[in-house]
Amino acid sequence: MHKHNFSSPLSLLQDRISSTKKLIRAAERHGDITKKIQSYLPTDFAEHCEFGSIRGSSMILFADSAAWATRLRFHSSDLLRYINNEYKYSLSSIKFKVMPLRGKRKKTKPKPFHIDRSNIDSIRQLASTVKHQGLSDALVRLAAITEKKSKK
């Protein structure tokens, strides 16, 4: 006859709760480190940087563009010293990866496109004086496209 083990589902549930607590603690620690890093950086830099992870003796930070990653690299030695002191780590480097940060930036609407009529006419006039046929054709197309987009 087969015996039912009713304690098994309970232990599975407790293991899941324990794993969930560990994940929550890890997420909180991740948020803590991100806030510490952002509080150390100049305000305009902080909003473009987020803690990623620690791999070996390197910390990985995410920047929302290559330009911000480059700017943040200038602060990496001071930031490394700060993080090592604050968390008692022995990190030797900071690596920057580019990843657009979630929910940090608002998309802005493009500004309306407008080139006034005199500039469009100047492009057409230039096209008529250029001897190179490919360049002349490109200028004519440019004038037509800017005229069309300026009317919208």
Side-chain angles (χ1 to χ4, degrees):
M1 191 177 245
H2 183 68
K3 286 187 174 183
H4 293 284
N5 184 358
F6 291 106
S7 65
S8 180
L10 290 175
S11 66
L12 286 174
L13 183 60
Q14 286 176 334
D15 288 346
R16 285 186 186 161
I17 291 171
S18 176
S19 295
T20 304
K21 283 182 182 178
K22 286 179 186 175
L23 283 173
I24 290 170
R25 270 188 260 136
E28 288 170 346
R29 183 144 174 87
H30 187 274
D32 266 358
I33 295 172
T34 295
K35 286 178 185 172
K36 285 272 189 192
I37 290 168
Q38 290 175 338
S39 71
Y40 180 77
L41 292 169
T43 307
D44 53 334
F45 284 67
E47 63 191 31
H48 300 282
C49 178
E50 189 173 300
F51 173 68
S53 64
I54 294 176
R55 299 263 166 86
S57 64
S58 293
M59 176 183 285
I60 297 171
L61 296 180
F62 292 109
D64 58 5
S65 71
W68 280 109
T70 301
R71 291 177 187 149
L72 287 161
R73 277 187 191 94
F74 288 110
H75 293 276
S76 62
S77 60
D78 294 334
L79 185 57
L80 186 63
R81 214 172 6 264
Y82 171 74
I83 292 299
N84 281 337
N85 289 335
E86 190 71 25
Y87 289 99
K88 307 300 183 229
Y89 290 149
S90 55
L91 300 172
S92 60
S93 66
I94 296 178
K95 295 179 181 177
F96 293 91
K97 299 203 177 208
V98 177
M99 182 172 73
L101 302 178
R102 299 168 298 278
K104 299 265 180 171
R105 299 172 104 191
K106 293 180 181 176
K107 288 191 176 184
T108 57
K109 283 187 175 181
K111 293 181 180 171
F113 186 87
H114 180 74
I115 294 180
D116 62 62
R117 186 78 190 151
S118 64
N119 287 328
I120 294 170
D121 291 340
S122 295
I123 294 171
R124 282 199 177 103
Q125 185 180 4
L126 178 63
S128 67
T129 62
V130 172
K131 291 181 182 179
H132 188 278
Q133 190 60 44
L135 179 57
S136 176
D137 293 344
L139 288 168
V140 168
R141 283 192 308 274
L142 175 64
I145 290 169
T146 54
E147 185 173 39
K148 184 179 178 181
K149 287 190 174 201
S150 290
K151 289 179 181 179
K152 289 184 178 180

